[in-house]
Amino acid sequence: MKETDMRDKYLPLAIVLLLLGSGPSRPARCAETAEEARAKALAVLKSDAPIEQQAAACRDLARVGDKDCVPVLAGMLGDEKLSHRARLALEPIPDKRVDEALRAALGKLNGKLLSGVISSIGTRRDAAAVELLGKHLASTDDDVARTTAITLGRIGTPAAGNTLLEALKNAQSDAVANTCDGLLTCGATLTAEGQNAEAKRIYDGMLARDLPVRFKAAALRGLVLCDPANRAQRLAAMLHDKEFGIFAMALRVAVDMKDKPVTDVLTSELAKLPADRVVPVISVLGQRRDKAALPTLLDLTKKADVAVRVEAIQAAAEIGDASAVPVLLELIKEKDDKISRAATMALAGLPGPEVDAAIAAALEKPDPALGTKMLDMAGQRRIAHALPAIVKAMSDADLSVRTAAVRNYGEAASVSGIPVLVDMLLKSTDDREIATYEREIGPLCAIVSDKDACTTTLVEALAKARPPVKVALLRILQAVGSAGALQAVRGTVDDANKDVHAAAVRVICDWKSADAAPVLLELARQSSQSVDRTLALRGYLGMAMQTGASPQQKLAICKEAAPLIQREEEKRMLLGAVAGLAGDEALNLIVAYLDDPAVKREAVATVLSIAEKRPKKQQADVAKAALERVVKVAGDDAAAGKRAEELLKQISEEK
């Protein structure tokens, strides 16, 4: 579209936007154009502006610079303070004059400035600079020599590779490392561009010289990647190389490459490798997750060496194919704990419905050699179609099997399995088994959404249960925590069986919600047994110490409990509950305890705590009387007496 057409098209829109402006104010200035930003930045660079402004101008030109900026920026390459900024501005400009300027600077600069220019040439991959760069490979400045080698590698042309190979012939000490780094970069660049033959020539040239192992290993890796025709042979040779660094590089290459021939090389060479190299190769086969390796790995699980067998089991698990299940099931039966444990963990981690089906099938035909491991597996994996077999195992003659079945039925069925578990609990006669049912059912009842239905199930069971089971059901009802559950527990307090009675009282005393407060108060007042009254009173006072209770609720509980308190422990509980309150009613509750030697110290501290919270000019008379009493009874507690006097002084000053 022509510029005049563009202007005609958008002019009406500009007018509309102008008319929409508010009142007489001028419209907002349009954003600065690239041309304007460029002109402003160049003006700054041509002026005597401070260094910070010139650096900012270079940053702007890195965004909007063009060929007209090259002369100014090139003139700054020798400036120690601005050379770096100038290069960053030059690098993105798509014009050959940038390359010419950078090449020209090669003969004029040295040190850090020269290294910087060389690096910029590498960023732009200027092939025309190769010959000039070659002169700097032998620089006595290590940084210049190193940067030059890497830059030639980044340029990555055959000519750049030739220059580096020629330099390698006479390189010594650090120059060898610098040149090899450049050659490896060059080879990788050529390979990435599909110039495999040229890359191969680079790597072959490196290997023609006796290099440190790390460079030799890297060159061999490059050959494997760029020479597919000879990949298998090279990789096999690396696996057997006497240098462990080259063997380690072979493993790294094998992990990175996903093609099947690599798997074939690894599996075929396993039997020929020294013993200390077998386990690492097996590990790589697992990391590659190529199912073609599975037959070899499963065969290795049957060999003599335990370390090899364990690694093969773990590698098979990483591949994650259901075809490994039959072998793993047999390995789980092994007497060697390392083998059995590794196989168990491997089977547990295998994904897919086929694995679930195999585990369920193993449960339907119990194998004593597998013990309870399949039950645990079904529970961990929550295999729903294994539930019938788990239910059957819950009636097994072996207690350990029954216990494992109960534990894992809850895992697999979750809350939907509560009715079945409760029904099986009713049939239990062993105390340990009853305890297992309780441990499994309780947490499920705590998370069930339909509390009423769950309560109904438990209450119906409660009516039929023998005393030991009834005790367990009472504790499970506590986990439900509903009003109906509390009512059911309260109904068993008068049970003729002493164990059931005691369990009911304790469950109510430990109830988590405030719904239990009236029941506890009733028991504390009316129970015929002193133990029950004491437990209920402590439970009731405990309600006042719960963080969710409001100050009003806490005060009400303390007032109801106070007349019932006789023992020292309950007195301390009351004082602890009241300490967090304020007001004259709270003070009146505890003043009497100031004369009780057993709890005097706690009572003094509580009076001070409440008095300190008192709002000014409120409850002054009650607070004054309580504090005066503290001064009299404080005795050897000088700090408490002094604090009481200070508070009394504050009260007198309020009047």
Side-chain angles (χ1 to χ4, degrees), residues 501-567:
H501 164 81
V505 172
R506 290 190 177 277
V507 165
I508 294 173
C509 290
D510 293 336
W511 207 263
K512 303 302 180 185
S513 70
D515 296 345
V519 180
L520 288 166
L521 182 59
E522 175 201 353
L523 291 173
R525 285 173 172 168
Q526 301 177 8
S527 179
S528 60
Q529 299 185 31
S530 61
V531 173
D532 293 348
R533 290 196 302 272
T534 299
L535 290 174
L537 181 57
R538 291 182 181 180
Y540 185 60
L541 283 168
M543 292 284 177
M545 303 179 78
Q546 290 182 359
T547 55
S550 68
Q552 294 79 10
Q553 290 172 326
K554 292 181 179 182
L555 182 60
I557 290 172
C558 291
K559 289 170 68 176
E560 294 283 2
L564 305 174
I565 293 175
Q566 296 178 357
R567 296 163 62 90

Side-chain angles (χ1 to χ4, degrees), residues 51-195:
I51 192 75
E52 294 81 4
Q53 292 183 22
Q54 294 195 43
C58 288
R59 284 197 298 271
D60 289 339
L61 291 181
R63 177 173 52 86
V64 299
D66 66 1
K67 61 184 180 180
D68 295 331
C69 304
V70 174
V72 175
L73 292 169
M76 299 165 61
L77 291 174
D79 188 320
E80 288 190 3
K81 295 181 178 179
L82 290 171
S83 178
H84 176 67
R85 293 292 182 187
R87 288 191 297 102
L88 292 179
L90 283 168
E91 287 174 5
I93 297 174
D95 190 87
K96 65 179 181 178
R97 277 175 279 193
V98 175
D99 299 315
E100 292 168 355
L102 292 172
R103 290 198 297 269
L106 288 175
K108 304 174 184 177
L109 304 174
N110 52 50
K112 289 193 303 182
L113 298 182
L114 176 58
S115 290
V117 168
I118 293 171
S119 179
S120 291
I121 291 173
T123 299
R124 293 179 62 85
R125 298 190 64 193
D126 178 16
V130 169
E131 185 176 350
L132 291 172
L133 289 170
K135 300 174 183 178
H136 295 285
L137 278 173
S139 173
T140 55
D141 186 319
D142 289 342
D143 188 50
V144 170
R146 181 169 55 253
T147 305
T148 301
I150 294 300
T151 291
L152 286 167
R154 293 171 71 188
I155 291 172
T157 61
N162 288 338
T163 300
L164 288 164
L165 284 173
E166 192 63 30
L168 184 62
K169 293 179 181 178
N170 301 311
Q172 300 294 328
S173 189
D174 290 345
V176 173
N178 295 338
T179 308
C180 284
D181 285 338
L183 284 165
L184 291 171
T185 303
C186 186
T189 302
L190 290 166
T191 300
E193 294 177 350
Q195 300 185 61

Side-chain angles (χ1 to χ4, degrees), residues 36-46 54 56-58 60-61 64:
E36 291 170 336
R38 195 160 45 242
K40 183 186 294 184
L42 285 173
V44 170
L45 294 178
K46 293 175 183 178
Q54 294 195 43
C58 288
D60 289 339
L61 291 181
V64 299

Side-chain angles (χ1 to χ4, degrees), residues 455 458-459 462 474 477 482-493 504:
T455 300
L458 295 171
V459 171
L462 197 64
L474 290 173
L477 282 164
S482 67
L486 177 61
Q487 183 180 356
V489 176
R490 175 64 184 89
T492 59
V493 168

